[in-house]
């Protein structure tokens, strides 16, 4: 979604976005205290979007994270109320990590990152380097309510005009996004 022209014009003229009620601190800063730590969004992506719920799955999926740091991030997410640790009755003991209600509320945030990266960094996201709309990436109707409608037509035209080709060797496999 791009900001409507009228809104953008008002903001460019000097209109300031201020809360109508008193706040103790910036809500963005408060959110970043939890979500802004390295690998946190990727861990949330894997638990919520990919259904990787086992420690070993997460460790394999989050490129570059150590077991110790993954354990720390999971405990921080649990303490923040975003995920819960569930010990399933089995021998040997099986532990899974699942979203809480608060965790599910991160899905629109994650999808915003997907939309932004798909529009503005397509050469790093897609083998052909072309921008994509959310509905093209996620055609299942169930996820439409989480779409961030960033129009990519202008970006597609810019990419086509440059005639830029992306070497497939430079593109990470889709499984690593």
């Amino acid at each position: 979604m791009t900001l409507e022209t009228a809104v953008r014009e008002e903001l460019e003229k000097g209109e300031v976005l201020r809360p109508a009620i008193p706040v103790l601190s910036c809500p963005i800063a408060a959110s970043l205290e939890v979500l802004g730590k390295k690998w946190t969004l990727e861990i949330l992506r894997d638990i919520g979007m990919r259904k990787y719920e086992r420690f070993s799955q997460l460790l394999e999926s989050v490129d570059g994270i150590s077991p110790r740091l993954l354990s720390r991030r999971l405990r921080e997410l649990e303490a923040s109320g975003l995920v819960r640790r569930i010990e399933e009755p089995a021998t040997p003991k099986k532990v899974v990590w699942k979203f809480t209600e608060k965790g599910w509320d991160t899905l629109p945030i994650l999808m915003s990152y997907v939309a932004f990266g798909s529009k503005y960094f397509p050469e790093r996201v897609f083998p052909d380097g072309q921008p994509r709309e959310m509905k093209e990436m996620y055609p299942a109707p169930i996820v439409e309510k989480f779409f961030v409608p960033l129009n990519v037509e202008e970006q597609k035209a810019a990419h086509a005009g440059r005639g830029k080709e992306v070497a497939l060797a430079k593109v990470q496999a889709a499984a690593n996004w």
Side-chain angles (χ1 to χ4, degrees):
M1 145 178 68
T2 57
L3 286 177
E4 292 184 31
T5 305
V7 174
R8 289 174 65 175
E9 287 174 0
E10 288 302 312
L11 292 172
E12 287 175 355
K13 286 180 188 173
E15 181 68 30
V16 179
L17 297 176
R18 288 199 177 111
I21 59 172
V23 295
L24 293 174
S25 68
C26 174
I28 295 172
S31 298
L32 286 175
E33 285 178 21
V34 174
L35 301 177
K37 293 182 178 176
K38 190 171 184 179
W39 289 300
T40 297
L41 292 177
E42 290 142 304
I43 293 167
L44 292 172
R45 171 205 62 200
D46 288 350
I47 293 171
M49 297 171 73
R50 294 180 173 175
K51 297 296 172 232
Y52 292 172
E53 298 173 335
R54 301 288 310 269
F55 186 90
S56 59
Q57 291 174 310
L58 294 167
L59 188 60
E60 186 175 312
S61 177
V62 181
D63 192 36
I65 195 168
S66 69
R68 182 177 177 198
L69 192 51
L70 175 57
S71 181
R72 180 184 300 162
R73 288 293 179 266
L74 287 168
R75 294 294 182 188
E76 291 168 352
L77 291 169
E78 182 181 33
S80 297
L82 295 170
V83 300
R84 67 183 184 278
R85 182 180 190 271
I86 301 170
E87 290 186 31
E88 295 183 349
T91 304
K93 181 172 70 171
K94 181 179 176 184
V95 174
V96 295
W97 295 89
K98 295 196 179 269
F99 268 179
T100 61
E101 190 64 33
K102 192 182 205 181
W104 283 115
D105 281 349
T106 66
L107 191 56
I109 298 167
L110 298 171
M111 294 303 268
S112 294
Y113 275 97
V114 171
F116 191 82
S118 299
K119 179 178 181 177
Y120 292 110
F121 304 107
E123 63 281 350
R124 293 169 58 183
V125 175
F126 304 110
D128 64 2
Q130 294 298 308
R132 299 292 197 288
E133 297 276 347
M134 293 294 286
K135 63 185 172 205
E136 187 177 353
M137 292 181 61
Y138 298 97
I142 193 166
V143 294
E144 279 185 25
K145 68 185 266 181
F146 299 109
F147 284 0
V148 178
L150 294 178
N151 186 316
V152 301
E153 293 308 314
E154 189 176 308
Q155 296 305 116
K156 283 184 178 181
H159 276 75
R162 287 196 304 248
K164 181 178 178 183
E165 293 193 21
V166 177
L168 289 178
K170 291 184 177 181
V171 178
Q172 291 183 352
N176 290 334
W177 72 268

